[in-house]
Amino acid sequence: MVTTTSRPTATAEIATDTDPMNQPADTADKNREPARSHVSNNPNPVAKEEAMIEVDDVSFSYDMGKTNILRNISFNIPAGKVTALIGPSGCGKSTLLRCLNRMNDLVDTSKVTNGQIRIMGQDINAGDVDPIELRKQVGMVFQKYNPFPKSIYDNVAYGLRIQGIKNKSKLDEAVEKSLQRAALWSEVKDRLNSSALGLSGGQQQRLCIARTIAVSPRIVLMDEPCSALDPIATARIEELIAELQEEFTIVIVTHNMQQATRVSDRTAFFYLGELIEYDDTTTIFGNPSVTQTEDYVSGRFG
Amino acid sequence: MQPESSNHILSSFDSELDQLRIDLIQMGNLVLRAFESSVNGLLEQDIGRCNDVIADDDIIDQKEKEIDANGMAILLRYSPVATDFRAAVSTLSISRSLERIGDHAVNVARSGRKIMKHGEFPEVRLVEPLFEATRDLLNKALTAYTNSDPQLAMEVIEEDDKVDKLHNKLSKGLTTMAGSGGGDVESILHLLFISRFLERVGDLAANIGEDVVFISSAGDIRHA
């Protein structure tokens, strides 16, 4: 039969991992509260070797450092996995996402006021890093699909042409491959020269994904990619995310909790500019360590 | 114990989870009463009581169906996560265990009726220690659920061994008795069945204990 000590509970494991002085208590009841108060916000960290992106003590401000929107954020985003950033509006998750390809550079007064963001070991805010080059490596898909008012073909070929590729057969090949990877090829192959704006919303979003991956980035950032789509189009994008993660490291901001549980391997919960908890997605939604996380994911906030 | 948590933003989510919990506690009371009646009917030679247990099992079955439907509706409508998810899923699991305890009460009542129809059989008293231990276990399991008390639930899981031992002792005694011609064989056989039913009730009470621990700690302690 079952005994108390034969298998520690999940919370007990966390408690002993983070605090070696914390004696394992003999019941689940005793374990729960200490685990919650002593646990770090990153009880199950991603090792440096597995990290594609290292966010190291980052603070960020939109007003030259007067107020920090992000405060001392540290966590590693693993390579070849999907990482979800969740939290209520204004918690800083989209700001952090835009830090990862320096989209915030477009706002004059914004800056990283503390810490480093390293991608494959390289500090992306170092003086010699060209943000345009960085964005080739770190592509982005936005909440509202935004194809150019051009043909389907030209949308996908856009980034490649900017890179100087003019060879027609090379472009043809890359456009077909990208559209196939974005699961759109069979729907558009007979009308590549029609306007992208004639596609449905879901198709336009997949076209934007094809455009993003055409330049072979290492990382794809997605800022609520499904929030403007119907459930069928959403399911197609989620299916696509699962396929793309084999090739790309994906970071996705989503307000849809169920979507985060379906598509992501790791989840980071942000609140008021702080990283509250970062762990495997199944832990964040199944048995989070921090009460605030549980309150948010189970709809108890406010 | 659960940490103090604020209410859900959706008040209907709170009220439906509360109702599910209240329904399960009510079902637990019905099952406990049926279980006690079935054994007391036997001990007090009261066929009417045994008949009532058999007839009232329908109410328990209906309650299980109601809890299943409401639990599934909560899963569908609110997609609960974390503690809410464990509470909803475990409630469904506990209602299944309770329904089976109800079935065992019916089994005890049926065997009891057969013993009574067979004439005087004072050896039924031998079942008393096992009955009391099983009743205590079930009572504790239900209290552990009602009070969200994983520590008490752990006690239930540990004390199930005691019920198993009492069952083994009783069945050995009854087997010896049957072999030595010490009583009516058919009645001895039915008492042996009853001993086995009580032992199963103890196991199901322990399963309820495991569910209570799972709700509060997310630890799966089954088959550990």
Side-chain angles (χ1 to χ4, degrees), chain A residues 10-35:
Chain A
T11 38
E13 278 161 18
I14 290 166
T16 46
D17 278 357
T18 50
D19 184 359
M21 300 306 289
N22 190 4
Q23 294 299 313
D26 57 353
T27 70
D29 182 30
K30 281 184 194 160
N31 280 333
R32 191 170 174 88
E33 278 312 311

Side-chain angles (χ1 to χ4, degrees), chain A residues 12 185 202 239 282:
Chain A
W185 175 250
E239 173 72 11
T282 47

Side-chain angles (χ1 to χ4, degrees), chain B residues 5-79:
Chain B
S5 217
S6 51
N7 291 336
H8 289 99
I9 297 163
L10 274 171
S11 57
S12 59
F13 188 9
D14 274 334
S15 55
E16 285 180 42
L17 275 175
D18 284 348
Q19 190 57 50
L20 191 69
R21 193 180 147 71
I22 292 166
D23 284 343
L24 192 80
I25 292 169
Q26 281 175 351
M27 182 180 179
N29 286 334
L30 288 174
V31 167
L32 181 63
R33 214 164 56 200
F35 175 70
E36 286 173 338
S37 280
S38 68
V39 183
N40 282 328
L42 170 71
L43 295 174
E44 289 158 21
Q45 303 278 306
D46 184 345
I47 285 200
R49 241 173 137 173
C50 292
N51 287 339
D52 286 348
V53 169
I54 295 163
D56 289 349
D57 190 46
D58 269 356
I59 301 171
I60 292 171
D61 291 350
Q62 287 307 318
K63 201 78 194 169
E64 187 205 11
K65 282 165 83 172
E66 194 186 312
I67 287 171
D68 270 10
N70 294 341
M72 283 190 282
I74 287 175
L75 294 178
L76 264 178
R77 270 203 283 271
Y78 303 104
S79 303

Side-chain angles (χ1 to χ4, degrees), chain A residues 10-297:
Chain A
T11 38
E13 278 161 18
I14 290 166
T16 46
D17 278 357
T18 50
D19 184 359
M21 300 306 289
N22 190 4
Q23 294 299 313
D26 57 353
T27 70
D29 182 30
K30 281 184 194 160
N31 280 333
R32 191 170 174 88
E33 278 312 311
R36 281 182 175 242
S37 51
H38 288 149
V39 84
S40 83
N41 65 0
N42 204 344
N44 178 18
V46 173
K48 197 174 156 64
E49 306 79 63
E50 294 166 38
M52 170 64 80
I53 306 169
E54 295 165 76
V55 179
D56 185 1
D57 202 23
V58 166
S59 298
F60 178 86
S61 167
Y62 280 117
D63 52 11
M64 297 309 283
K66 270 184 251 163
T67 45
N68 280 334
I69 297 295
L70 294 172
R71 283 193 296 279
N72 305 96
I73 307 291
S74 290
F75 69 121
N76 290 345
I77 295 173
K81 295 244 159 67
V82 180
T83 299
L85 312 183
I86 63 166
S89 297
C91 70
K93 59 193 186 304
S94 294
T95 299
L96 178 67
L97 194 74
R98 286 198 299 268
C99 284
L100 301 180
N101 66 349
R102 290 180 56 179
M103 286 294 274
N104 291 321
D105 285 14
L106 304 175
V107 183
D108 280 344
T109 55
S110 75
K111 69 178 214 184
V112 172
T113 56
N114 188 56
Q116 269 191 359
I117 297 171
R118 293 183 294 275
I119 292 180
M120 292 184 288
Q122 162 77 49
D123 176 7
I124 63 168
N125 292 299
D128 57 346
V129 172
D130 175 3
I132 307 290
E133 285 302 315
L134 172 69
R135 287 174 206 143
K136 279 186 203 161
Q137 295 292 315
V138 189
M140 193 160 194
V141 176
F142 297 85
Q143 179 171 9
K144 177 73 185 163
Y145 36 88
N146 53 355
F148 303 128
K150 290 169 177 287
S151 72
I152 293 166
Y153 185 98
D154 288 344
N155 261 280
V156 183
Y158 191 84
L160 298 164
R161 282 179 173 143
I162 286 181
Q163 288 184 10
I165 300 169
K166 293 203 176 82
N167 183 309
K168 177 85 168 83
S169 64
K170 252 191 186 165
L171 283 176
D172 285 353
E173 195 187 320
V175 167
E176 177 174 345
K177 194 176 155 214
S178 303
L179 286 168
Q180 266 171 348
R181 285 196 299 185
L184 191 59
W185 175 250
S186 61
E187 291 161 58
V188 301
K189 66 179 192 300
D190 299 323
R191 47 171 171 152
L192 291 174
N193 293 316
S194 341
S195 167
L197 304 179
L199 297 171
S200 73
Q203 288 172 324
Q204 289 191 36
Q205 189 64 303
R206 277 180 283 149
L207 180 65
C208 293
I209 292 173
R211 185 179 63 187
T212 303
I213 62 181
V215 296
S216 302
R218 302 295 295 260
I219 298 165
V220 178
L221 309 177
M222 297 184 165
D223 194 354
E224 292 204 60
C226 302
S227 63
L229 303 181
D230 73 16
I232 304 282
T234 298
R236 290 223 168 86
I237 301 280
E238 288 183 11
E239 173 72 11
L240 186 55
I241 291 171
E243 282 164 22
L244 292 177
Q245 82 175 101
E246 288 170 12
E247 241 173 304
F248 308 99
T249 298
I250 296 173
V251 187
I252 179 170
V253 163
T254 178
H255 277 301
N256 181 333
M257 300 290 153
Q258 293 301 312
Q259 179 168 69
T261 60
R262 284 191 298 265
V263 304
S264 71
D265 303 291
R266 305 271 305 183
T267 296
F269 168 56
F270 291 85
Y271 186 57
L272 297 176
E274 285 176 18
L275 177 65
I276 305 297
E277 190 171 355
Y278 177 53
D279 209 324
D280 289 338
T281 297
T282 47
T283 305
I284 293 288
F285 290 96
N287 189 29
S289 308
V290 184
T291 311
Q292 231 173 347
T293 311
E294 168 138 5
D295 282 353
Y296 179 70
V297 298

Side-chain angles (χ1 to χ4, degrees), chain A residues 1-11 26-30 32-33 36 257-258 261 284-288 291 294-295 297-302, chain B residues 1-10 13-14 79 81-84 86 150-151 154 157-158 160-161 206 210 213 216-221 223-224:
Chain A
M1 236 9 254
V2 180
T3 61
T4 24
T5 49
S6 57
R7 186 167 168 184
T9 63
T11 38
D26 57 353
T27 70
D29 182 30
K30 281 184 194 160
R32 191 170 174 88
E33 278 312 311
R36 281 182 175 242
M257 300 290 153
Q258 293 301 312
T261 60
I284 293 288
F285 290 96
N287 189 29
T291 311
E294 168 138 5
D295 282 353
V297 298
S298 54
R300 293 171 193 270
F301 242 64
Chain B
M1 296 283 167
Q2 297 303 312
E4 284 298 315
S5 217
S6 51
N7 291 336
H8 289 99
I9 297 163
L10 274 171
F13 188 9
D14 274 334
S79 303
V81 297
T83 309
D84 301 329
R86 296 197 298 275
Q151 203 161 348
M154 290 304 302
I157 294 161
E158 280 159 28
D160 181 40
D161 278 353
E210 288 166 355
V213 172
S216 63
S217 72
D220 187 346
I221 53 168
H223 313 295

